[in-house]
Amino acid sequence: MPSTITRGYKKLLDEANAQIETINAAEAVERFPQGGVGQDEVVIVDLRDPREIEREGRIPGAFHCPRGMLEFWIDPDSPYAKPVFQEDKKFVFQCASGWRSALAAKTAQDMGLSPVAHLGGGFTAWKAAGGPIEKVEPKKT
């Protein structure tokens, strides 16, 4: 018998968005006109798959953290911990459309990372708001 999903993605997104800070794209472009470059107090965390980044580009200076590694990279007790998440900065999560980043910001906040926010509408909204984009060349295999 198939499972009955009792808390679908829409419910999870509603719960996350009610508990985290959302920065809309126009505000983000105004606050971070060069993306993550030169932003001493902010780290923009790009959660997208490497193929998305190669295809679409990225916000300049963004730190790439694949969504599947987030919890392991945040936790300083993890063998996969990344020093960037131990810095005294604000972490602004972004993905393509703002769904993964909302859930990631909620997870990071629940883990104790603070302060965190997410980019409403994601990279798509950033691009539409005229934010700078950096082309990323595919890695040679």
Side-chain angles (χ1 to χ4, degrees):
M1 172 175 234
S3 301
T4 300
I5 302 300
T6 58
R7 288 177 66 219
Y9 79 94
K10 290 179 184 178
K11 175 103 171 121
L12 292 172
L13 284 170
D14 288 345
E15 291 171 359
N17 281 311
Q19 296 178 39
I20 60 171
E21 177 186 357
T22 300
I23 301 173
N24 74 46
E27 177 188 353
V29 170
E30 185 176 309
R31 284 175 60 184
F32 319 123
Q34 297 176 335
V37 177
Q39 295 295 323
D40 293 334
E41 73 283 350
V42 172
V43 176
I44 297 173
V45 181
D46 192 331
L47 299 163
R48 295 175 301 150
D49 180 273
R51 290 170 297 222
E52 292 175 273
I53 295 170
E54 290 171 359
R55 183 177 59 243
E56 301 290 330
R58 69 175 176 193
I59 296 173
F63 174 75
H64 179 238
C65 173
R67 176 60 189 95
M69 293 304 294
L70 181 69
E71 293 85 350
F72 304 102
W73 287 14
I74 288 174
D75 186 347
D77 292 333
S78 165
Y80 302 102
K82 296 292 184 188
V84 67
F85 288 112
Q86 310 315 309
E87 296 178 11
D88 185 20
K89 300 198 177 193
K90 180 173 190 155
F91 297 90
V92 179
F93 294 92
Q94 62 89 191
C95 62
S97 63
W99 293 4
R100 288 173 285 180
S101 59
L103 296 175
K106 171 74 167 67
T107 297
Q109 186 171 279
D110 288 350
M111 290 179 73
L113 190 67
S114 178
V116 301
H118 94 107
L119 178 61
F123 185 76
T124 302
W126 171 270
K127 194 166 44 172
I133 297 169
E134 176 179 74
K135 185 162 178 49
V136 176
E137 293 298 322
K139 289 186 178 180
K140 301 198 187 255
T141 55

